[in-house]
Amino acid sequence: MSQKFRLLVFSFLSLSYFYAQASTVDSLDVPSAVMNKAYKAAVVLPASYANNKASYPVLYLLHGGSGHFNDWLNKTPDKMLVKNLADQFNIIIVMPEGETFGWYLDSPADPTNKFETYITKEVIQKIDNTYRTVKSNKGRVITGLSMGGHGAMYLSTRHPDLFCAAGTMSGAMDMNYTRFRINEDFAKSLKDRFQKLLGTSDTSNDVYIKNSIINMVDAIKKNGMPVIIDCGVDDFLIEANRELHHRLVFNNVPHDYTERPGAHTWEYWENSLPYHLLFFSKVLKANGVAVDK
């Protein structure tokens, strides 16, 4: 056998071993009785999942506005980001559908938008029935970007029985779109979409106030859940993130808060997500649910 041929065989076997050990991605149909429709979710299983019988903790990773469930797999500059993090932290990562403007809440005006109920009662149940998961809040964490950052904080604050830690990246912590640093056309588009979602474009209405994370500090404090918040200094949502941080500090609510260089971009979120996984991994280890490799 020639030296060149041996090198080719070795390279092939090395690549085969690498891919055999890499995380896998499932595309799962998750029917919604509350919306009378089926949506897809992407599920990343760490490589170790196939090699043992352990129950795994789960990260629910939410997409942003105008996006869909597979954004985190398709839009990060490094297309292996989520898969590599699933392997690095030995965690199942679930990316559910939240539609382009669902805001992960149950709309008071649009009966086809019930994403709070969908995530908390239908998606989690489907995941727990399909995979070997830690079937308690000790093994569930949640984070997301932009609209998904709002969703992660909203769902975890309202359902502390389901999650043990939450995060937000460049999150829309205040639903009052008139405070966003955006141009007139974008503001007009948001006004129309919020009108459909919430039944009014009047941002002084209670539906905006009660559903905004910056006004949920008392509930966040009562829950005592570990929270990680970060936002780029050039992001159009930075002011709301700073306001939430200030309110949490004023009310003596422990949390991890970071501002970094960057804007509302996938480059920023690609850099941010590993910090969230590191934060969550410490919580999961403290809860005794982390899986050894």
Side-chain angles (χ1 to χ4, degrees):
M1 186 184 294
S2 69
Q3 180 70 17
K4 183 177 181 181
F5 184 73
R6 279 196 294 268
L7 286 172
L8 285 171
V9 171
F10 177 77
S11 298
F12 174 78
L13 291 174
S14 297
L15 284 171
S16 297
Y17 177 81
F18 172 79
Y19 285 111
Q21 296 300 308
S23 57
T24 58
V25 181
D26 287 352
S27 182
L28 195 68
D29 287 321
V30 185
S32 173
V34 72
M35 290 186 284
N36 194 29
K37 184 175 182 180
Y39 287 103
K40 286 195 175 296
V43 181
V44 179
L45 301 173
S48 65
Y49 182 86
N51 301 324
N52 62 50
K53 302 294 185 182
S55 295
Y56 280 70
V58 181
L59 164 63
Y60 286 85
L61 181 59
L62 307 184
H63 67 78
S66 300
H68 290 290
F69 73 99
N70 54 4
D71 280 8
W72 275 104
L73 295 174
N74 296 337
K75 293 189 175 181
T76 52
D78 175 8
K79 299 301 182 287
M80 292 295 294
L81 174 70
V82 176
K83 289 179 271 191
N84 287 341
L85 289 172
D87 277 342
Q88 181 182 346
F89 291 96
N90 233 21
I91 190 171
I92 296 172
I93 301 179
V94 176
M95 291 153 281
E97 182 61 58
E99 271 295 359
T100 57
F101 209 73
W103 282 81
Y104 303 97
L105 51 73
D106 288 354
S107 168
D110 181 0
T112 68
N113 195 115
K114 302 292 182 184
F115 283 97
E116 178 180 4
T117 297
Y118 177 62
I119 300 293
T120 60
K121 296 188 182 299
E122 297 177 324
V123 174
I124 289 177
Q125 182 183 59
K126 178 70 171 180
I127 296 301
D128 283 349
N129 288 341
T130 306
Y131 302 99
R132 296 192 319 273
T133 62
V134 177
K135 294 173 174 57
S136 77
N137 63 347
K138 288 186 176 181
R140 292 192 205 100
V141 294
I142 186 168
T143 191
L145 68 90
S146 193
M147 181 185 82
H150 169 276
M153 292 298 296
Y154 186 83
L155 296 175
S156 62
T157 300
R158 289 169 58 84
H159 302 275
D161 57 312
L162 295 179
F163 305 99
C164 65
T168 168
M169 294 167 262
S170 310
M173 299 294 96
D174 185 353
M175 296 185 79
N176 185 345
Y177 58 89
T178 65
R179 295 173 179 164
F180 297 176
R181 280 198 257 162
I182 54 177
N183 62 42
E184 188 175 334
D185 288 341
F186 190 9
K188 175 63 167 61
S189 171
L190 288 178
K191 180 179 180 179
D192 293 342
R193 299 179 84 178
F194 273 117
Q195 172 73 44
K196 180 183 178 184
L197 178 71
L198 300 180
T200 177
S201 60
D202 177 8
T203 57
S204 66
N205 188 286
D206 269 0
V207 71
Y208 284 87
I209 297 168
K210 290 180 178 178
N211 286 300
S212 290
I213 305 304
I214 60 166
N215 299 318
M216 296 184 176
V217 171
D218 287 345
I220 295 171
K221 182 174 183 176
K222 179 182 178 182
N223 293 340
M225 189 180 298
V227 169
I228 179 170
I229 303 164
D230 70 82
C231 192
V233 294
D234 296 319
D235 197 297
F236 68 88
L237 296 172
I238 185 64
E239 297 304 333
N241 282 268
R242 287 172 176 164
E243 179 61 24
L244 175 62
H245 169 55
H246 294 154
R247 294 186 185 192
L248 292 172
V249 170
F250 181 81
N251 285 277
N252 298 310
V253 182
H255 62 289
D256 188 299
Y257 178 80
T258 305
E259 291 183 13
R260 298 190 193 94
H264 212 73
T265 65
W266 279 104
E267 287 77 14
Y268 179 87
W269 302 319
E270 176 174 289
N271 181 60
S272 178
L273 185 58
Y275 290 98
H276 285 238
L277 265 296
L278 181 60
F279 180 87
F280 293 145
S281 70
K282 294 177 181 178
V283 176
L284 295 169
K285 285 177 183 176
N287 287 349
V289 299
V291 177
D292 294 330
K293 291 187 178 180

